[in-house]
Amino acid sequence: MFSWVGKIANAFGDDKDDRLDDDKDPLIWCKDLEKHAFGEFSFAVVQANEVLEDYSQVEVGQNATFVGVYDGHGGPEASRYICDHFFSHLIRNVQEKGLISSEVLKNAVSATEDGFLTLVRRSCGIKPLMAAVGSCCLAGIISDGTLYVANMGDSRAVIGRLNRRRSSKIVAEQITEDHNACRNEIRRELKQDHPDDPQIVVMKQGVWRIKGIIQVSRTIGDAYLKKPEFALDSSFPRFHLREPIRRPVLGNGPSLYNRVLKPDDKFIVFASDGLWEHVTNQQAVEIVHNNPRSGIARRLIKSAINVAARKARKGYDEVQKIEKGSRRAVHDDITVAVVFIDQQINTDIDEVSMRGFGNATTASSFSTL
C-alpha cells in the first residue's frame, strides 16, 4: 500500500517523468503556448468518451481574454451549443452595457440557457433524450486588471499566487464553488429548497445524486429536471421521474465572482472536473509553478491520467493505448487552460478564437467591441 501511494505522489511536484513530456497520446490535443493580452496561455484537451463531451474555447482580444470550459453530460449537444453561442451573447451584452462586468456574464448565461431550451423544445418530438442533455459552464474573462467568473457545475477556476511570507511559496486559491451533491453545503441547500421531497438527494452507486440521477446541482440544459413539459416517460428509465416536478430541481443561474488581480497572482487554471478528480488545487499550482510554461496544460492532463492509471492498477503507457470510449473506465474527458498573468502588455497579438480539439484558429468577436 505504501509503495502505491508513493507512486501516486511522484506524479506531482518536481517529478520529471519523461512520459509527461512526450506527445504520443493520440487523444490529447494541445496548444502548448500562445500569447494573450496580458501574458501567455497553455490549452489542452484529452478525449475519453466515445464522443467528446468537453467543449471549450479561448478568445484573445487586444484588451481582454476569455476562457470557457463546458463539460457536457448525456451527450455533446449542450456543451457544443454553449461553445457556439455563449461568447456571442457575452459580446452583445458588453456592447449594450458599454463595459465588462459580472452582470453581463450572468446575462450571457441566461441567454444561452434560454436558447438551448428553445432548441430542446423544437427537437424533443424527434429526439426526446435532448431533454436529458446538459452541461456545466465555467466562463472567465480578464479585463482592466480584473478577473470575472461565472460558474455552473463542478468545473473549477484556481489561482496560483505567491505567498511572500513563506519564501514565495506558490499557493492555490479556489475562485469558484463546486455545485456538486458530494458537498455537504449543496445537499443542505437542496433539502432546504425542497423540504417536501425526501428523495431530493439520495446515495446511489457510492455517490450522492440529485433525484438519484445527477451529481451537479446547477447546469445549462437538463430540461427534464427544470420544466414539467420536458418530463421523460417510463420508456427512458434512467431519466424517468416517478412524480412530476413542481418546481425546478436544478438551478440554472451561475455563481458569480470577481477579483482585482494583484502582482502576486501569477496564473489561473481553468479546468473541467476530470482534472480535479485526480489532482488537488495545490498539486495543480505546484505543477504549473515548477515546470516550463510551454505544454503545461498538457502536463497537467498527463499528471491526472498518471494518477488515474495508478488508481486503476494500470501503467501510464497502458492507458495511452486505450481507445476512446473504453478509456472512460479510467478517466473522464479533461480540459485545461492555464492563463499566465504577466506585468507587461502584449501589443503585437491578433484577436483570435481557439476551440478545444479544433485545429482552426479564427478571428475573435472581440474585434467588434
Side-chain angles (χ1 to χ4, degrees), residues 31-36 39-43 60 346 354:
K31 294 285 186 180
D32 276 346
L33 199 64
E34 304 287 340
K35 288 184 179 181
H36 70 100
E40 297 173 313
F41 69 93
S42 182
F43 189 15
V60 176
N346 289 324
M354 297 182 186

Side-chain angles (χ1 to χ4, degrees), residues 109-129:
V109 171
S110 179
T112 306
E113 167 81 350
D114 290 346
F116 185 68
L117 291 184
T118 298
L119 176 63
V120 173
R121 190 174 287 111
R122 291 172 178 169
S123 306
C124 62
I126 301 171
K127 190 177 180 182
L129 279 177

